[in-house]
Amino acid sequence: MDRKLNHLEKFMLKKISDIDDFPSGAFNIRENGKGIRRNTTKNINIVSKEDKQGIDIFIKENTKNEMVHIPVILTESGFTDIVYNDFYIGKNADVTIVAGCGIHNDSCETSEHDGIHRFFLEEGAKVKYIEKHYGDGEGTGKRILNPQTIIELKDGSSLEMETVQIKGVDNAIRQTSGKLGNETNLVITEKIMTHGAQFARTEFDVVLDGKNASTHVISRAVAKDASKQEFVSKIEGNTECYGHVECDAIIMDHATVKAIPEILANNIDARLIHEATIGKIAGEQMTKLMTLGLSDKEAESEIINGFLK
Amino acid sequence: MLELKNICFKRDNKQILDHISFTIDDNKLIVITGPNGGGKSTLAKIIMGIEKPDSGEIILNGENITNLSITDRAKNGIGFAFQQPVKFKGITVYDLISLSLGKKIKFSEACNYLSAVGLCPRDYMNREVNASLSGGELKRIELATVVARKSSLTIFDEPEAGIDLWSFSSLIDVFTNMKKEISGSIVIISHQERILNIADKIILISNGKIKESGSKEEILPRLLNNTKSCKFLKEDNNG
């Protein structure tokens, strides 16, 4: 099972996990439907599922300042990989989890990865979850990613999720749902750029069940060329709680972006806000950067890079 | 040296600039003043290339730049501070100062530019240049990005607007230090007597035309004493 990573594998890992070799700490690296190496620690155990593809990650209570990397790479074309990963985070643990999927497809056949991740946070647990999606390759075969994230927060726990899809994914439907207990907090930051004829749809569905539960969903999207994006967010407040969704999109060329908000307050003390802004790059931003000596292309690039930073 | 020849600009049947001609010599501080709506800001934008004149020529150091883009004018040494600073999403104060200088710089170097406009670098450097900053903060950051460029000709469009929390003398210091350090020309669009007071030359524009032009010693007393022509000045200073 042990072997060295080749150049392409290292490149893809760097893109999605910011590592270019086997990391220290707990990890599970999966390539083309198989685990290529795993490491566990005293506090973090990783166990393969027996009934389906995927792993269970058990993080002991009070585990502090540890990281778990579980990247997936697809380098074989014509491959559909469906994987179920469940994270069980013990009481008062404080950890960072880095996931993500990179698809390299040089053929005309479709490559697809559907990752279903479930997070169960016990009381007082705190998780930072970073997920990046990336695709490349010269082939005409499509690169498809359909990540699902299901989050359950018990009292006093919190999860901060950063999800990024910057390049090369032809079709993506991203579904994230959360069920929040008392005094919990869920922050989701999403950054997406689509180009060519790509399509990306994001669905957020957060239920605020616990007193003083709060969520903040921030989506920044850039749609170029003839790409299409949809952003659907639903927040349901069932008690004294706070929910805020911000969808901010830049459209360019012939792209389209659709934002569909749904906020449902079932309690007089639920405070829910949805903001959506869609438009082209502001002319005055371009002008300002051009007065600093940037060309129009350079100015556009800086504005988009800043927006998606 | 910058030379404007017969600049005309008309919009919505209104002659905003009507055959404006003047020269700005090297290492001089020029203040363009006059009533609101008189065409001052339009003139500043025409020099930077943000607006195109209907007719006339702009000559910079002997080169006709009338048809040059904003970018090319910036590269040729013209800088511009906006009256209403532009806001961004994601771009930080540090990013903007680096872009002004055209290179990544050390944090400590960027700090100098913020300190010069009265902002504590530690509090501002990593902040996004967005709507979470107040108008006065944005204005000072705007000034810092323009000062950092060390352009040979820098235009400030009403720099005093929105800096109420900052002492006026600090703003004056920015201009006088800049003049000393870069040995370039500075053009300031302003209504403020204290800014007029540091001018080498004052140009009064009203209804799209130059009404008066000359040294501070020559023009300023006349502006302040002439009730009719300086009504706007007194209103602004009293307000």
Side-chain angles (χ1 to χ4, degrees), chain A residues 11-64:
Chain A
F11 174 79
M12 298 300 280
L13 285 176
K14 183 79 183 162
K15 282 284 181 191
I16 58 171
S17 298
D18 212 21
I19 51 172
D20 51 13
D21 211 336
F22 297 116
S24 58
F27 68 85
N28 186 85
I29 298 177
R30 180 183 175 89
E31 182 176 9
N32 300 321
K34 290 177 195 146
I36 59 171
R37 200 193 268 193
R38 176 181 300 171
N39 189 47
T40 58
T41 67
K42 184 164 65 84
N43 294 323
I44 301 174
N45 195 20
I46 302 175
V47 180
S48 296
K49 282 186 185 294
E50 292 183 357
D51 56 337
K52 53 189 167 187
Q53 289 288 316
I55 48 177
D56 289 327
I57 297 102
F58 298 96
I59 298 175
K60 283 187 186 168
E61 60 182 48
N62 296 315
T63 301
K64 302 283 182 195

Short mmCIF file of all heavy atoms in Angstrom, two decimals, chain A residues 11-64:
data_model
loop_
_atom_site.label_atom_id
_atom_site.label_comp_id
_atom_site.label_asym_id
_atom_site.label_seq_id
_atom_site.Cartn_x
_atom_site.Cartn_y
_atom_site.Cartn_z
N PHE A 11 0.78 17.38 -7.70
CA PHE A 11 0.21 18.62 -8.22
C PHE A 11 -1.26 18.74 -7.81
O PHE A 11 -1.71 19.79 -7.34
CB PHE A 11 0.34 18.64 -9.75
CG PHE A 11 -0.33 19.80 -10.41
CD1 PHE A 11 0.28 21.05 -10.43
CD2 PHE A 11 -1.59 19.67 -10.99
CE1 PHE A 11 -0.35 22.15 -11.01
CE2 PHE A 11 -2.23 20.75 -11.58
CZ PHE A 11 -1.60 21.98 -11.59
N MET A 12 -2.00 17.64 -7.98
CA MET A 12 -3.43 17.67 -7.66
C MET A 12 -3.65 17.88 -6.16
O MET A 12 -4.54 18.62 -5.74
CB MET A 12 -4.12 16.38 -8.12
CG MET A 12 -4.07 16.13 -9.61
SD MET A 12 -4.86 17.42 -10.60
CE MET A 12 -6.57 16.97 -10.45
N LEU A 13 -2.82 17.22 -5.35
CA LEU A 13 -2.96 17.39 -3.89
C LEU A 13 -2.68 18.82 -3.46
O LEU A 13 -3.35 19.38 -2.59
CB LEU A 13 -2.01 16.43 -3.15
CG LEU A 13 -2.43 14.95 -3.13
CD1 LEU A 13 -1.36 14.11 -2.47
CD2 LEU A 13 -3.75 14.77 -2.39
N LYS A 14 -1.69 19.41 -4.12
CA LYS A 14 -1.35 20.81 -3.80
C LYS A 14 -2.54 21.71 -4.10
O LYS A 14 -2.87 22.62 -3.34
CB LYS A 14 -0.13 21.23 -4.63
CG LYS A 14 0.38 22.61 -4.35
CD LYS A 14 1.21 22.65 -3.09
CE LYS A 14 1.67 24.05 -2.76
NZ LYS A 14 2.11 24.16 -1.36
N LYS A 15 -3.20 21.43 -5.25
CA LYS A 15 -4.33 22.26 -5.67
C LYS A 15 -5.51 22.17 -4.70
O LYS A 15 -6.18 23.15 -4.43
CB LYS A 15 -4.81 21.84 -7.07
CG LYS A 15 -3.93 22.37 -8.19
CD LYS A 15 -4.19 23.84 -8.42
CE LYS A 15 -3.35 24.40 -9.54
NZ LYS A 15 -3.41 25.87 -9.59
N ILE A 16 -5.76 20.97 -4.18
CA ILE A 16 -6.98 20.81 -3.38
C ILE A 16 -6.74 20.83 -1.88
O ILE A 16 -7.65 21.11 -1.11
CB ILE A 16 -7.76 19.52 -3.77
CG1 ILE A 16 -6.89 18.27 -3.60
CG2 ILE A 16 -8.29 19.63 -5.18
CD1 ILE A 16 -7.66 16.98 -3.75
N SER A 17 -5.51 20.51 -1.46
CA SER A 17 -5.29 20.41 -0.01
C SER A 17 -4.10 21.22 0.48
O SER A 17 -3.80 21.20 1.67
CB SER A 17 -5.04 18.95 0.38
OG SER A 17 -6.14 18.17 0.09
N ASP A 18 -3.41 21.86 -0.45
CA ASP A 18 -2.22 22.63 -0.09
C ASP A 18 -1.14 21.74 0.53
O ASP A 18 -0.35 22.20 1.35
CB ASP A 18 -2.60 23.78 0.85
CG ASP A 18 -1.69 24.98 0.65
OD1 ASP A 18 -1.09 25.06 -0.44
OD2 ASP A 18 -1.57 25.81 1.57
N ILE A 19 -1.12 20.47 0.15
CA ILE A 19 -0.02 19.59 0.56
C ILE A 19 0.56 18.99 -0.72
O ILE A 19 -0.16 18.84 -1.71
CB ILE A 19 -0.48 18.45 1.49
CG1 ILE A 19 -1.68 17.69 0.90
CG2 ILE A 19 -0.80 18.95 2.88
CD1 ILE A 19 -2.07 16.43 1.65
N ASP A 20 1.83 18.68 -0.76
CA ASP A 20 2.36 18.05 -1.96
C ASP A 20 3.07 16.74 -1.63
O ASP A 20 3.86 16.22 -2.41
CB ASP A 20 3.27 19.00 -2.74
CG ASP A 20 4.32 19.63 -1.88
OD1 ASP A 20 4.49 19.15 -0.74
OD2 ASP A 20 4.96 20.59 -2.33
N ASP A 21 2.78 16.21 -0.44
CA ASP A 21 3.27 14.88 -0.07
C ASP A 21 2.37 14.37 1.04
O ASP A 21 1.44 15.06 1.46
CB ASP A 21 4.74 14.96 0.37
CG ASP A 21 5.47 13.67 0.03
OD1 ASP A 21 4.80 12.63 -0.10
OD2 ASP A 21 6.70 13.70 -0.10
N PHE A 22 2.68 13.19 1.53
CA PHE A 22 1.87 12.69 2.63
C PHE A 22 2.04 13.63 3.82
O PHE A 22 3.17 13.91 4.23
CB PHE A 22 2.31 11.27 3.00
CG PHE A 22 2.11 10.30 1.87
CD1 PHE A 22 3.18 9.67 1.27
CD2 PHE A 22 0.83 10.03 1.40
CE1 PHE A 22 2.99 8.78 0.22
CE2 PHE A 22 0.64 9.14 0.35
CZ PHE A 22 1.72 8.52 -0.24
N PRO A 23 0.94 14.11 4.38
CA PRO A 23 1.06 15.09 5.46
C PRO A 23 1.35 14.40 6.80
O PRO A 23 1.24 13.18 6.93
CB PRO A 23 -0.32 15.73 5.50
CG PRO A 23 -1.25 14.67 5.01
CD PRO A 23 -0.47 13.83 4.04
N SER A 24 1.69 15.21 7.77
CA SER A 24 1.82 14.65 9.12
C SER A 24 0.42 14.58 9.73
O SER A 24 -0.51 15.22 9.24
CB SER A 24 2.75 15.53 9.96
OG SER A 24 2.23 16.82 10.00
N GLY A 25 0.25 13.84 10.76
CA GLY A 25 -1.05 13.72 11.40
C GLY A 25 -1.94 12.71 10.70
O GLY A 25 -1.48 11.90 9.89
N ALA A 26 -3.22 12.79 11.01
CA ALA A 26 -4.16 11.81 10.45
C ALA A 26 -4.51 12.18 9.01
O ALA A 26 -4.73 13.36 8.70
CB ALA A 26 -5.42 11.79 11.29
N PHE A 27 -4.53 11.15 8.15
CA PHE A 27 -4.95 11.42 6.77
C PHE A 27 -5.42 10.14 6.10
O PHE A 27 -5.09 9.02 6.54
CB PHE A 27 -3.84 12.09 5.95
CG PHE A 27 -2.64 11.22 5.68
CD1 PHE A 27 -2.62 10.35 4.60
CD2 PHE A 27 -1.53 11.29 6.51
CE1 PHE A 27 -1.51 9.56 4.34
CE2 PHE A 27 -0.41 10.51 6.26
CZ PHE A 27 -0.41 9.63 5.18
N ASN A 28 -6.17 10.33 5.03
CA ASN A 28 -6.57 9.21 4.17
C ASN A 28 -6.61 9.76 2.74
O ASN A 28 -7.41 10.64 2.43
CB ASN A 28 -7.95 8.70 4.56
CG ASN A 28 -8.32 7.45 3.78
OD1 ASN A 28 -7.95 6.35 4.17
ND2 ASN A 28 -9.04 7.61 2.68
N ILE A 29 -5.70 9.24 1.90
CA ILE A 29 -5.68 9.74 0.52
C ILE A 29 -6.27 8.66 -0.38
O ILE A 29 -5.88 7.50 -0.34
CB ILE A 29 -4.24 10.10 0.09
CG1 ILE A 29 -3.71 11.23 1.00
CG2 ILE A 29 -4.21 10.55 -1.38
CD1 ILE A 29 -2.29 11.63 0.73
N ARG A 30 -7.24 9.10 -1.19
CA ARG A 30 -7.98 8.17 -2.04
C ARG A 30 -7.76 8.57 -3.50
O ARG A 30 -7.86 9.75 -3.86
CB ARG A 30 -9.47 8.28 -1.68
CG ARG A 30 -10.42 7.40 -2.46
CD ARG A 30 -11.86 7.69 -2.00
NE ARG A 30 -12.82 6.97 -2.79
CZ ARG A 30 -13.26 5.73 -2.51
NH1 ARG A 30 -12.80 5.11 -1.43
NH2 ARG A 30 -14.15 5.14 -3.28
N GLU A 31 -7.43 7.56 -4.30
CA GLU A 31 -7.23 7.85 -5.73
C GLU A 31 -7.95 6.78 -6.55
O GLU A 31 -7.76 5.58 -6.33
CB GLU A 31 -5.73 7.86 -6.06
CG GLU A 31 -5.47 8.21 -7.52
CD GLU A 31 -3.99 8.31 -7.85
OE1 GLU A 31 -3.17 7.95 -7.00
OE2 GLU A 31 -3.67 8.76 -8.96
N ASN A 32 -8.75 7.25 -7.51
CA ASN A 32 -9.47 6.36 -8.43
C ASN A 32 -10.21 5.24 -7.68
O ASN A 32 -10.13 4.06 -8.05
CB ASN A 32 -8.51 5.78 -9.46
CG ASN A 32 -7.86 6.89 -10.27
OD1 ASN A 32 -8.50 7.87 -10.61
ND2 ASN A 32 -6.58 6.74 -10.55
N GLY A 33 -10.87 5.63 -6.63
CA GLY A 33 -11.73 4.69 -5.92
C GLY A 33 -11.04 3.81 -4.89
O GLY A 33 -11.67 2.95 -4.28
N LYS A 34 -9.74 4.01 -4.68
CA LYS A 34 -9.02 3.18 -3.69
C LYS A 34 -8.20 4.07 -2.77
O LYS A 34 -7.62 5.07 -3.22
CB LYS A 34 -8.06 2.24 -4.41
CG LYS A 34 -8.75 1.15 -5.20
CD LYS A 34 -7.71 0.31 -5.93
CE LYS A 34 -8.40 -0.54 -6.99
NZ LYS A 34 -7.59 -0.75 -8.18
N GLY A 35 -8.08 3.65 -1.53
CA GLY A 35 -7.20 4.36 -0.60
C GLY A 35 -5.76 4.05 -0.93
O GLY A 35 -5.40 2.88 -1.14
N ILE A 36 -4.92 5.08 -1.04
CA ILE A 36 -3.51 4.79 -1.34
C ILE A 36 -2.62 4.92 -0.11
O ILE A 36 -1.54 4.36 -0.07
CB ILE A 36 -2.95 5.65 -2.51
CG1 ILE A 36 -3.04 7.14 -2.21
CG2 ILE A 36 -3.66 5.31 -3.79
CD1 ILE A 36 -2.30 7.98 -3.25
N ARG A 37 -3.06 5.61 0.88
CA ARG A 37 -2.35 5.56 2.15
C ARG A 37 -3.21 6.21 3.24
O ARG A 37 -3.99 7.12 2.98
CB ARG A 37 -1.00 6.27 2.10
CG ARG A 37 -0.13 5.76 3.28
CD ARG A 37 1.08 6.58 3.51
NE ARG A 37 2.25 6.10 2.80
CZ ARG A 37 3.48 6.53 3.06
NH1 ARG A 37 3.71 7.41 3.99
NH2 ARG A 37 4.50 6.08 2.35
N ARG A 38 -3.03 5.72 4.47
CA ARG A 38 -3.81 6.23 5.60
C ARG A 38 -2.89 6.33 6.80
O ARG A 38 -1.97 5.54 6.95
CB ARG A 38 -4.95 5.27 5.90
CG ARG A 38 -5.77 5.65 7.12
CD ARG A 38 -6.87 4.64 7.38
NE ARG A 38 -7.79 4.57 6.23
CZ ARG A 38 -8.73 3.65 6.12
NH1 ARG A 38 -8.89 2.72 7.06
NH2 ARG A 38 -9.52 3.63 5.07
N ASN A 39 -3.16 7.31 7.64
CA ASN A 39 -2.44 7.40 8.91
C ASN A 39 -3.44 7.81 10.00
O ASN A 39 -4.31 8.63 9.77
CB ASN A 39 -1.31 8.43 8.81
CG ASN A 39 -0.41 8.39 10.02
OD1 ASN A 39 0.00 7.31 10.45
ND2 ASN A 39 -0.12 9.55 10.58
N THR A 40 -3.30 7.20 11.15
CA THR A 40 -4.16 7.60 12.27
C THR A 40 -3.28 8.09 13.41
O THR A 40 -2.07 7.88 13.40
CB THR A 40 -5.02 6.42 12.75
OG1 THR A 40 -4.15 5.36 13.14
CG2 THR A 40 -5.95 5.93 11.66
N THR A 41 -3.89 8.74 14.37
CA THR A 41 -3.12 9.22 15.52
C THR A 41 -3.80 8.72 16.80
O THR A 41 -4.85 8.08 16.74
CB THR A 41 -3.05 10.77 15.55
OG1 THR A 41 -4.37 11.27 15.80
CG2 THR A 41 -2.52 11.34 14.25
N LYS A 42 -3.20 9.08 17.92
CA LYS A 42 -3.75 8.66 19.22
C LYS A 42 -5.21 9.12 19.38
O LYS A 42 -6.04 8.42 19.92
CB LYS A 42 -2.86 9.27 20.33
CG LYS A 42 -3.22 8.86 21.73
CD LYS A 42 -2.08 9.19 22.68
CE LYS A 42 -1.82 10.68 22.81
NZ LYS A 42 -2.66 11.38 23.77
N ASN A 43 -5.46 10.32 18.85
CA ASN A 43 -6.79 10.90 19.04
C ASN A 43 -7.73 10.75 17.86
O ASN A 43 -8.92 11.01 17.97
CB ASN A 43 -6.66 12.40 19.36
CG ASN A 43 -5.98 12.63 20.68
OD1 ASN A 43 -6.19 11.88 21.63
ND2 ASN A 43 -5.13 13.65 20.74
N ILE A 44 -7.17 10.42 16.70
CA ILE A 44 -8.01 10.40 15.49
C ILE A 44 -7.89 9.03 14.82
O ILE A 44 -6.80 8.62 14.40
CB ILE A 44 -7.60 11.51 14.51
CG1 ILE A 44 -7.73 12.88 15.20
CG2 ILE A 44 -8.47 11.45 13.24
CD1 ILE A 44 -7.23 14.06 14.39
N ASN A 45 -9.02 8.35 14.72
CA ASN A 45 -9.02 7.04 14.09
C ASN A 45 -9.82 7.11 12.78
O ASN A 45 -10.82 7.81 12.68
CB ASN A 45 -9.65 6.02 15.04
CG ASN A 45 -9.33 4.60 14.60
OD1 ASN A 45 -8.39 4.38 13.83
ND2 ASN A 45 -10.11 3.64 15.07
N ILE A 46 -9.33 6.39 11.79
CA ILE A 46 -10.02 6.35 10.50
C ILE A 46 -10.28 4.88 10.16
O ILE A 46 -9.36 4.07 10.15
CB ILE A 46 -9.17 7.02 9.38
CG1 ILE A 46 -8.85 8.47 9.76
CG2 ILE A 46 -9.88 6.94 8.04
CD1 ILE A 46 -7.92 9.20 8.79
N VAL A 47 -11.54 4.57 9.91
CA VAL A 47 -11.94 3.17 9.70
C VAL A 47 -12.72 3.08 8.39
O VAL A 47 -13.63 3.88 8.15
CB VAL A 47 -12.84 2.69 10.87
CG1 VAL A 47 -13.27 1.24 10.67
CG2 VAL A 47 -12.13 2.86 12.20
N SER A 48 -12.39 2.08 7.57
CA SER A 48 -13.13 1.91 6.31
C SER A 48 -14.54 1.41 6.60
O SER A 48 -14.76 0.59 7.49
CB SER A 48 -12.42 0.89 5.43
OG SER A 48 -11.15 1.37 5.07
N LYS A 49 -15.48 1.88 5.81
CA LYS A 49 -16.85 1.38 5.95
C LYS A 49 -16.93 -0.02 5.37
O LYS A 49 -16.21 -0.34 4.40
CB LYS A 49 -17.82 2.31 5.21
CG LYS A 49 -18.12 3.59 5.95
CD LYS A 49 -19.19 4.38 5.21
CE LYS A 49 -19.44 5.73 5.87
NZ LYS A 49 -20.03 5.62 7.23
N GLU A 50 -17.80 -0.82 5.94
CA GLU A 50 -17.89 -2.19 5.45
C GLU A 50 -19.02 -2.38 4.44
O GLU A 50 -18.96 -3.25 3.58
CB GLU A 50 -18.07 -3.15 6.62
CG GLU A 50 -16.80 -3.19 7.47
CD GLU A 50 -16.89 -4.17 8.62
OE1 GLU A 50 -17.96 -4.78 8.79
OE2 GLU A 50 -15.89 -4.30 9.35
N ASP A 51 -20.05 -1.51 4.57
CA ASP A 51 -21.22 -1.71 3.70
C ASP A 51 -21.18 -0.88 2.42
O ASP A 51 -21.96 -1.09 1.51
CB ASP A 51 -22.50 -1.40 4.49
CG ASP A 51 -22.49 0.00 5.07
OD1 ASP A 51 -21.38 0.56 5.25
OD2 ASP A 51 -23.57 0.56 5.33
N LYS A 52 -20.30 0.09 2.35
CA LYS A 52 -20.20 0.91 1.14
C LYS A 52 -18.84 1.60 1.10
O LYS A 52 -18.05 1.50 2.05
CB LYS A 52 -21.33 1.94 1.10
CG LYS A 52 -21.47 2.80 2.34
CD LYS A 52 -22.76 3.61 2.28
CE LYS A 52 -23.05 4.22 3.64
NZ LYS A 52 -24.34 4.87 3.71
N GLN A 53 -18.59 2.27 0.01
CA GLN A 53 -17.32 2.98 -0.13
C GLN A 53 -17.25 4.13 0.86
O GLN A 53 -18.23 4.87 1.03
CB GLN A 53 -17.18 3.54 -1.55
CG GLN A 53 -16.96 2.49 -2.62
CD GLN A 53 -15.57 1.90 -2.54
OE1 GLN A 53 -14.60 2.60 -2.37
NE2 GLN A 53 -15.48 0.57 -2.62
N GLY A 54 -16.11 4.31 1.49
CA GLY A 54 -15.97 5.47 2.37
C GLY A 54 -15.33 5.13 3.70
O GLY A 54 -14.94 3.98 3.95
N ILE A 55 -15.23 6.13 4.54
CA ILE A 55 -14.54 5.97 5.82
C ILE A 55 -15.34 6.64 6.94
O ILE A 55 -16.13 7.56 6.70
CB ILE A 55 -13.11 6.59 5.78
CG1 ILE A 55 -13.15 8.00 5.18
CG2 ILE A 55 -12.15 5.70 5.03
CD1 ILE A 55 -11.80 8.72 5.17
N ASP A 56 -15.11 6.15 8.15
CA ASP A 56 -15.62 6.83 9.35
C ASP A 56 -14.41 7.42 10.06
O ASP A 56 -13.40 6.74 10.25
CB ASP A 56 -16.32 5.84 10.28
CG ASP A 56 -17.64 5.37 9.69
OD1 ASP A 56 -18.30 6.16 8.99
OD2 ASP A 56 -17.99 4.20 9.90
N ILE A 57 -14.52 8.67 10.42
CA ILE A 57 -13.42 9.35 11.11
C ILE A 57 -13.88 9.65 12.53
O ILE A 57 -14.89 10.35 12.72
CB ILE A 57 -13.02 10.65 10.38
CG1 ILE A 57 -12.51 10.33 8.97
CG2 ILE A 57 -11.93 11.41 11.14
CD1 ILE A 57 -13.47 10.59 7.90
N PHE A 58 -13.18 9.10 13.49
CA PHE A 58 -13.56 9.30 14.90
C PHE A 58 -12.53 10.21 15.57
O PHE A 58 -11.34 9.87 15.59
CB PHE A 58 -13.62 7.96 15.62
CG PHE A 58 -14.64 7.02 15.06
CD1 PHE A 58 -14.28 6.05 14.12
CD2 PHE A 58 -15.97 7.11 15.43
CE1 PHE A 58 -15.23 5.19 13.59
CE2 PHE A 58 -16.93 6.25 14.90
CZ PHE A 58 -16.55 5.28 13.97
N ILE A 59 -13.00 11.33 16.07
CA ILE A 59 -12.09 12.26 16.75
C ILE A 59 -12.47 12.29 18.22
O ILE A 59 -13.63 12.59 18.57
CB ILE A 59 -12.16 13.65 16.10
CG1 ILE A 59 -11.69 13.53 14.64
CG2 ILE A 59 -11.31 14.67 16.88
CD1 ILE A 59 -11.81 14.77 13.82
N LYS A 60 -11.52 11.93 19.07
CA LYS A 60 -11.80 11.83 20.50
C LYS A 60 -12.15 13.18 21.11
O LYS A 60 -11.67 14.22 20.63
CB LYS A 60 -10.58 11.26 21.22
CG LYS A 60 -10.42 9.76 21.06
CD LYS A 60 -9.29 9.28 21.95
CE LYS A 60 -9.01 7.80 21.70
NZ LYS A 60 -7.75 7.39 22.33
N GLU A 61 -12.89 13.12 22.21
CA GLU A 61 -13.23 14.38 22.87
C GLU A 61 -11.95 15.06 23.38
O GLU A 61 -10.94 14.41 23.65
CB GLU A 61 -14.22 14.14 24.01
CG GLU A 61 -13.76 13.23 25.11
CD GLU A 61 -14.85 13.03 26.16
OE1 GLU A 61 -16.00 12.75 25.76
OE2 GLU A 61 -14.55 13.15 27.34
N ASN A 62 -12.03 16.38 23.42
CA ASN A 62 -10.92 17.24 23.89
C ASN A 62 -9.68 17.19 22.99
O ASN A 62 -8.62 17.69 23.39
CB ASN A 62 -10.52 16.89 25.32
CG ASN A 62 -11.65 17.18 26.29
OD1 ASN A 62 -12.27 18.25 26.19
ND2 ASN A 62 -11.96 16.24 27.15
N THR A 63 -9.77 16.62 21.82
CA THR A 63 -8.63 16.67 20.88
C THR A 63 -8.46 18.12 20.45
O THR A 63 -9.42 18.77 20.01
CB THR A 63 -8.92 15.80 19.64
OG1 THR A 63 -9.14 14.48 20.08
CG2 THR A 63 -7.77 15.85 18.66
N LYS A 64 -7.24 18.62 20.57
CA LYS A 64 -7.03 20.04 20.25
C LYS A 64 -5.94 20.19 19.17
O LYS A 64 -4.93 19.48 19.20
CB LYS A 64 -6.57 20.83 21.48
CG LYS A 64 -7.52 20.77 22.66
CD LYS A 64 -8.73 21.67 22.49
CE LYS A 64 -9.61 21.60 23.71
NZ LYS A 64 -10.93 22.15 23.53
#
